[in-house]
Amino acid sequence: MYETLTYVGGVHRHEEMEELIEDLGGFVLQENMLQMDLILTLAVPIDDVEKVKEKARELLGKVKVAPMAGTEIAVVSPTLARHHLPHAACDIAEYLRRYGAKDNMIGLARGAGKGISRISEEEKQLINEHDIAIFALGSFKHCIKEKTHLFEDINVPVVVTGAPKIKVEELPGATAYVSGFGRIPRRLKRGENIRALKKLVRVVEEILDNRRREIAEDPPLVPPIVVKSEIEHQVHAIKNIYSPTPVTSQLDGVRVKLNYERYHKDIEKVKVYDYKLGDIAEIKPSIMYDYILVKLLPETSLV
């Protein structure tokens, strides 16, 4: 059993933390270097968390639990236009990253206006590749209720945000609704905005925990973080990827940022424990840049 953590510290001697994680049998899920600061998202055996905290104190860094680590979240805005995408949607995405999430911003091609807003099948497929979707909508109740067709047949859990208070039962297809957002022409820095962001985090964490419990009832043969580690060690082309998180963990698989046509056979041959990845997972092209999407199959489907 692994615990996901976020380590924040300086660049100096950071390799000591990474070596400790490796010695404990843990994994570095994500690494971000911001000037002289380093942010590591980690997965370590739950019994060894105190050792990591002790090392962090030695390096004058900080460690906190990252409940969203190992998940990929879609933050969806009706359009890329400036009256929809900036501020609320961007701040939501940035805030979720503080809790370990890997999120992707998605602006729909034809979402402007409650009467003409649309979502294409390709956009739905892209959203369904994530663990959860957050639809950042507007400030008017009737407008939000007119746009439920954007998410009513999305397969992953959907959290809708907007300004007014609305019962989630009034939004077909939504798993949860969080008020206090909407179109805000500034950064979300005021007290009421921070409280809304914290509530959103609690809601997303609860949904992810429920999803983890569902997966635990019929789990895959190997955890996604182990698959991520083996792909990084066995597929040498990963070292040539300059995009952040070249292998992105999800609750039930990973996204590999390599071209499907060129590299899917290499991914299929990756050895994880006593298995070939192609035998225990569905490996298919992603809608996102023709990347490779690896979805681990549950044990019952392999018997």
Side-chain angles (χ1 to χ4, degrees), residues 76-80 84 106-112 118 136-138 147 150:
V76 186
S77 183
T79 70
L80 291 171
H84 266 133
I106 299 175
L108 303 181
R110 292 188 58 194
R118 297 290 182 271
L137 299 185
K147 289 186 177 179
L150 296 177

Side-chain angles (χ1 to χ4, degrees), residues 198-211:
K198 288 182 177 179
K199 182 180 179 181
L200 176 62
V201 166
R202 291 195 297 271
V203 168
V204 171
E205 287 177 1
E206 182 179 354
I207 293 172
L208 291 174
D209 286 342
N210 291 336
R211 180 68 182 127

